[in-house]
């Protein structure tokens, strides 16, 4: 009925007069969506350092983190709208909900320098490979790309999502398949593998806790599964189909992560591997073997295009969620809540950009670009893991306090899954404070202070100060509902 009481006119087109049918998403489609939001070539050089042991170091976090995160977030998403803020606010408290959504946002502050550091090193192979280890070059690329993204986002530009979606094919599947194929041909021609490939090398060599620190980065590689859980309500039979989708996605993600890492380890010796430029190193060396080095710049452009497209798509996502919650609850001062004429949280993006610029300068000040890349990766992981710790606690409390609340999907042995996921996340967070064995030449105390200052300061101290000094006047009238804050929060989509 229209406002005046007259019957509303039927929609034009072939569907005139017909009641639209419910549209369901298949479990295969959801598995592919999940794969595209998690899988990336970017972590491959990090794990290629371990050679065959990278298989073990990928599978372990998949079992203890990826699987619990997927199933637990599916139950939460099917019962409570509003994303992680509403899950944690309902299960624990509103202040903890603010902390959770803050960590989603704060994680991106360190994530974008990491992503754009990868872009800088990849671009270097297109322009001048010597620039890959130049901190000033890396810092300049980070600042130029990030502020360009802020400018584009502030204008409300639409249609960038397609570029990021195509990034799975352009910047991941095609380059990854080429790398694996030519790597296999390289070995098939009788060339020796740069990393040993015997059964004795399946497990990483134990040299104290520092030898396993790189596994922490894999937790971030698998993060973001809670984003795809929002599609549970769109499945015909979520109880059966969602677990199938998650197991298929987990298998695909493992293949995309493991096989390129192995291919790199076949071609590039570990002591020559740059954590930021390793993918391009591998492509350059294998193309040189076949006399195809002219393809290296093309692959580099594909990787850069996919990363930048993803950055543009996800740049404003977590900050938009934080903005909507803060306007409703008054968590941030009015200056940070201000939107421009196109409804974009411009002040929040600019403030985030200033911090990102300071972090980018770290690449210019730290002599070893790989060390800076690793430190920022760890801080990114630490901050994001705080959110996951809160999510697992909230899931247990919601199951116990609201056992009869309608859910489209009920995770099997949820308490056990949350226990495994919480323990794994906490251990990964603690291990992240230990310098990895690959960076044993640095001062461990300085490393600890940088990581602790970045993770605990940004992840806990800053939101505490915002919450402690908030004022009732900070609440802003808004037509946006909590459900609208359900925004993309997975950094790996942008990879």
């Amino acid at each position: 009925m229209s406002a005046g009481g007259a019957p509303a006119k039927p929609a034009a087109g072939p569907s005139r007069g017909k009641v639209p049918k419910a549209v369901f998403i298949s479990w295969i489609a959801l598995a592919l969506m999940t794969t595209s939001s998690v899988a990336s070539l970017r972590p491959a050089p990090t794990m290629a350092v371990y050679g065959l042991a990278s298989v073990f170091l990928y599978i372990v976090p998949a079992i203890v983190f990826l699987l619990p995160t997927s199933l637990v977030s599916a139950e939460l998403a099917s019962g409570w709208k509003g994303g992680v803020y509403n899950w944690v606010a309902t299960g624990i408290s509103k202040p903890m909900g603010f902390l959770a959504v803050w960590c989603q946002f704060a994680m991106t502050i360190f994530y974008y320098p990491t992503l754009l550091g990868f872009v800088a090193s990849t671009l270097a192979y297109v322009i001048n490979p010597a620039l890959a280890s130049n901190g000033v070059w890396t810092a300049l690329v980070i600042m130029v790309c990030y502020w360009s993204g802020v400018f584009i986002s502030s204008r409300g530009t639409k249609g960038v999502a397609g570029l990021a979606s195509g990034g799975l094919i352009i910047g991941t599947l095609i380059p990854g398949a080429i790398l694996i194929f030519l790597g296999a041909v390289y070995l098939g021609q009788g060339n020796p593998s740069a990393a040993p490939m015997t059964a004795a090398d399946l497990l990483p060599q134990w040299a104290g806790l520092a030898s396993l620190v790189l596994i922490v980065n894999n937790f971030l590689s698998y993060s973001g599964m809670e984003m795809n859980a929002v599609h549970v309500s769109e499945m015909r039979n979520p109880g059966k189909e969602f677990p199938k989708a998650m197991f298929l996605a987990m298998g695909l993600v493992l293949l995309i992560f493991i096989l390129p890492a192995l291919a790199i380890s076949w071609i590039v010796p570990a002591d020559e591997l740059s954590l930021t430029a390793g993918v391009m190193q591998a492509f350059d060396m294998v193309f040189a073997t076949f006399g195809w080095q002219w393809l290296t710049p093309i692959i580099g452009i594909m990787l850069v295009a996919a990363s930048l497209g993803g950055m543009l798509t996800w740049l404003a996502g977590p900050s938009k969620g934080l903005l909507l919650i803060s306007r409703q609850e008054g968590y941030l001062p009015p200056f940070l809540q201000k939107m421009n004429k196109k409804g974009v949280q411009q002040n929040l993006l600019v403030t985030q950009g200033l911090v990102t610029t300071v972090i980018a300068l770290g690449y210019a000040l730290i002599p070893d670009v790989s060390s800076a890349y690793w430190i920022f990766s760890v801080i990114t992981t630490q901050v994001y893991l705080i959110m996951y710790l809160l999510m697992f606690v909230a899931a247990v409390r919601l199951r116990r306090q609201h056992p009869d609340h309608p859910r489209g999907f009920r995770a099997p042995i949820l308490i056990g899954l949350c226990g495994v996921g919480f323990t794994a996340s906490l251990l990964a967070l603690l291990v992240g404070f230990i310098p990895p064995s690959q960076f044993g030449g640095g001062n461990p105390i300085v490393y600890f202070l940088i990581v602790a200052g970045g993770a605990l300061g940004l992840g806990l101290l800053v939101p505490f100060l915002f919450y402690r000094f908030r004022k009732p006047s900070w609440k802003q009238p808004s037509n946006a509902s909590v459900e609208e804050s359900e925004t993309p929060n997975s950094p790996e989509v942008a990879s």
Side-chain angles (χ1 to χ4, degrees):
M1 299 290 288
S2 65
K9 294 180 180 180
S15 60
R16 183 189 301 271
K18 295 183 180 180
V19 177
K21 296 182 180 180
V23 178
F24 295 98
I25 185 173
S26 71
W27 66 273
I28 295 179
L30 182 60
L32 295 177
M33 289 171 57
T34 303
T35 303
S36 67
S37 68
V38 175
S40 168
L41 291 180
R42 194 165 59 89
T46 304
M47 299 311 298
V49 172
Y50 283 92
L52 193 58
S54 62
V55 177
F56 172 84
L57 296 176
Y58 267 123
I59 290 179
V60 170
I63 295 173
V64 302
F65 180 76
L66 175 62
L67 190 58
T69 298
S70 304
L71 298 181
V72 170
S73 61
E75 173 167 328
L76 295 175
S78 68
W80 290 268
K81 295 182 179 179
V84 70
Y85 171 79
N86 201 32
W87 304 344
V88 177
T90 305
I92 306 177
S93 66
K94 284 189 174 182
M96 291 296 101
F98 170 59
L99 176 60
V101 76
W102 168 267
C103 286
Q104 283 188 333
F105 163 74
M107 173 273 299
T108 64
I109 295 177
F110 287 97
Y111 166 71
Y112 288 117
T114 304
L115 169 66
L116 296 177
F118 170 78
V119 169
S121 63
T122 304
L123 270 178
Y125 268 82
V126 177
I127 302 172
N128 179 7
L131 293 173
S133 58
N134 188 308
V136 175
W137 160 262
T138 303
L140 287 174
V141 171
I142 291 173
M143 289 187 284
V144 170
C145 290
Y146 181 85
W147 285 108
S148 298
V150 170
F151 174 76
I152 294 172
S153 297
S154 68
R155 298 176 64 84
T157 302
K158 297 181 180 180
V160 189
L163 179 59
S165 300
L168 175 67
I169 298 175
I170 297 173
T172 300
L173 294 183
I174 294 178
I178 293 174
L179 184 64
I180 295 165
F181 174 75
L182 293 183
V185 173
Y186 176 82
L187 293 181
Q189 291 180 337
N191 296 298
S193 170
M197 291 286 145
T198 65
D201 301 298
L202 280 171
L203 296 178
Q205 294 182 355
W206 180 253
L209 289 176
S211 64
L212 291 179
V213 170
L214 279 175
I215 197 174
V216 173
N217 203 43
N218 289 353
F219 281 74
L220 181 63
S221 298
Y222 290 134
S223 62
M225 299 297 288
E226 73 281 359
M227 176 193 66
N228 296 286
V230 302
H231 298 291
V232 168
S233 58
E234 302 172 30
M235 307 185 80
R236 289 185 181 275
N237 187 350
K240 292 183 178 180
E241 293 182 343
F242 190 81
K244 289 164 64 176
M246 289 301 100
F247 280 114
L248 175 58
M250 187 166 69
L252 293 174
V253 168
L254 284 172
L255 289 176
I256 292 174
F257 278 146
I258 291 174
L259 293 182
L262 286 178
I264 293 174
S265 71
W266 296 337
I267 303 163
V268 186
D271 57 354
E272 298 178 10
L273 190 62
S274 163
L275 298 188
T276 53
V279 174
M280 293 308 298
Q281 279 183 325
F283 277 114
D284 195 50
M285 293 182 71
V286 74
F287 285 154
T289 302
F290 293 92
W292 297 348
Q293 279 185 295
W294 58 272
L295 283 175
T296 301
I298 298 176
I299 293 293
I301 293 172
M302 292 169 66
L303 294 174
V304 167
S307 296
L308 292 180
M311 187 201 74
L312 289 175
T313 302
W314 300 101
L315 180 63
S319 60
K320 185 69 172 182
L322 178 64
L323 174 80
L324 295 175
I325 296 302
S326 298
R327 289 177 68 88
Q328 293 169 20
E329 304 294 339
Y331 290 136
L332 296 179
F335 172 78
L336 294 178
Q337 297 182 29
K338 187 176 180 180
M339 296 184 290
N340 64 14
K341 294 180 180 180
K342 295 186 178 293
V344 177
Q345 58 283 12
Q346 183 169 304
N347 286 9
L348 194 56
L349 288 176
V350 170
T351 303
Q352 180 184 14
L354 294 175
V355 179
T356 301
T357 299
V358 174
I359 296 172
L361 293 176
Y363 279 93
L365 299 176
I366 298 176
D368 186 354
V369 174
S370 289
S371 295
Y373 177 89
W374 172 252
I375 289 173
F376 293 143
S377 295
V378 170
I379 293 175
T380 301
T381 305
Q382 304 293 73
V383 172
Y384 210 15
L385 285 172
I386 295 174
M387 185 276 293
Y388 281 112
L389 292 174
L390 294 171
M391 187 189 78
F392 287 124
V393 172
V396 173
R397 290 174 61 88
L398 287 171
R399 174 69 75 89
R400 289 177 173 174
Q401 296 175 0
H402 306 280
D404 299 323
H405 183 87
R407 296 165 170 84
F409 171 78
R410 296 182 71 90
I413 56 171
L414 180 128
I415 306 300
L417 288 172
C418 289
V420 171
F422 183 91
T423 302
S425 299
L426 181 60
L427 290 176
L429 191 150
L430 296 176
V431 169
F433 292 112
I434 304 171
S437 56
Q438 283 73 14
F439 303 96
N443 189 324
I445 297 178
V446 173
Y447 179 92
F448 174 83
L449 292 176
I450 293 176
V451 173
L456 301 182
L458 185 63
L460 296 178
L461 179 60
V462 174
F464 170 77
L465 293 176
F466 277 129
Y467 185 82
R468 174 67 177 80
F469 295 104
R470 73 193 188 285
K471 299 177 181 179
S473 61
W474 287 6
K475 290 187 178 182
Q476 303 290 325
S478 175
N479 295 326
S481 62
V482 174
E483 284 81 356
E484 291 178 273
S485 69
E486 215 166 278
T487 52
N489 50 54
S490 171
E492 293 308 309
V493 181
S495 299

